[in-house]
Amino acid sequence: MQMQTQAQAPQAILFDLDGTLVDTAPDLAEATNALRIHHGLSPLPFEVIRRQVSNGGSALVTLALGLEASTEGHIQAREFLLDAYEQAVAVNSRVFVPLDQWLKEWHGDQRLWGIVTNKPRRYTLPLLEALSLQPGALLCADDLSVKKPAPEPLWEAARRLGVAPEQCWYIGDHVRDIQAAVAAGMTAVAVGYGYISEEDNYQRWPADLWFENCQELVDALYIFNHTKQGI
């Protein structure tokens, strides 16, 4: 763990979804390779696709076919990819271990938590249902007129949970997550186990806390939860 400021024990935990709370890359990789196969191309290695997952469907189309967002055929390819993903949104997706067990305990203790994601509800709701996840607040890409890195979705999640933004941790695996948390006045927590490109360095993001792997994150969550104090 690395720490930039005196972090305080959270009253509520907010998560980014893909690459932070849930490992959705396996199912998104299947959809991406389905698009390539549809175009007569061989599948890409999983790790190559995994690094692009946080950048969304358009980035996966560009990776799969080399079609930039403004290129003819990109929109149709994106629709194909997302349709393929929707049909198998939670086949191999799982909550990261050991975050899964920690979340069961946190939820069981009736502690506050939520999800703020740039993933549309069309894919988020069936995923959460399949994984039996019931966040106290859920903000998706199509819920407000703005999305991360804007702070408004984080503020709305805190409002729905009945806590002040400064009482929340927001945890994410992309620099836009950290930018949103900082703008919202929340404790910004960066994790290095998510879908981070090779050229990116999560330890350079303007966070308050950085965790290399999921175990480190969970260990810190237990410490803060049990002491009720910052470290």
Side-chain angles (χ1 to χ4, degrees):
M1 178 184 74
Q2 294 187 42
M3 183 172 64
Q4 178 171 295
T5 62
Q6 181 72 13
Q8 299 299 314
Q11 296 300 309
I13 302 289
L14 298 175
F15 294 95
D16 170 53
L17 183 58
D18 299 77
T20 301
L21 180 61
V22 179
D23 186 4
T24 55
D27 292 321
L28 283 161
E30 286 291 327
T32 302
N33 278 328
L35 176 62
R36 282 182 60 84
I37 292 169
H38 179 71
H39 285 265
L41 302 171
S42 60
L44 290 173
F46 172 71
E47 284 301 324
V48 172
I49 299 174
R50 187 182 190 277
R51 289 191 289 267
Q52 286 296 321
V53 165
S54 283
N55 293 319
S58 289
L60 292 175
V61 168
T62 300
L63 175 67
L65 303 180
L67 295 176
E68 298 295 335
S70 58
T71 305
E72 182 179 356
H74 181 96
I75 293 176
Q76 293 84 349
R78 184 174 181 272
E79 289 176 351
F80 181 97
L81 187 152
L82 293 178
D83 284 345
Y85 177 57
E86 186 174 23
Q87 294 170 24
V89 73
V91 175
N92 294 303
S93 295
R94 301 288 184 270
V95 177
F96 283 101
V97 177
L99 196 52
D100 55 345
Q101 183 58 42
W102 174 86
L103 188 60
K104 288 179 182 178
E105 295 176 19
W106 183 269
H107 186 80
D109 290 340
Q110 299 184 326
R111 302 296 298 275
L112 300 174
W113 73 283
I115 296 170
V116 182
T117 177
N118 281 359
K119 196 186 198 80
R121 277 188 174 259
R122 171 184 172 186
Y123 315 106
T124 300
L125 292 181
L127 174 65
L128 298 187
E129 182 178 0
L131 298 176
S132 299
L133 293 176
Q134 299 177 316
L138 172 64
L139 273 295
C140 298
D142 36 6
D143 287 344
L144 301 179
S145 60
V146 294
K147 56 186 180 180
K148 298 179 297 183
E152 283 83 355
L154 279 67
W155 284 334
E156 177 61 17
R159 186 193 69 80
R160 293 183 186 184
L161 292 174
V163 296
E166 59 268 23
Q167 295 177 310
C168 300
W169 282 17
Y170 185 68
I171 306 171
D173 73 317
H174 195 283
V175 66
R176 66 171 165 264
D177 299 324
I178 305 308
Q179 292 166 342
V182 171
M186 297 182 179
T187 296
V189 182
V191 295
Y193 58 81
Y195 309 144
I196 302 172
S197 62
E198 287 184 318
E199 62 273 13
D200 207 352
N201 183 350
Y202 78 100
Q203 293 179 336
R204 294 180 180 175
W205 300 344
D208 299 299
L209 298 166
W210 298 261
F211 299 101
E212 181 177 356
N213 56 61
C214 196
Q215 183 65 62
E216 286 187 2
L217 170 63
V218 168
D219 289 345
L221 287 169
Y222 276 122
I223 290 171
F224 274 92
N225 183 34
H226 290 157
T227 64
K228 309 277 185 165
Q229 297 176 354
I231 57 174

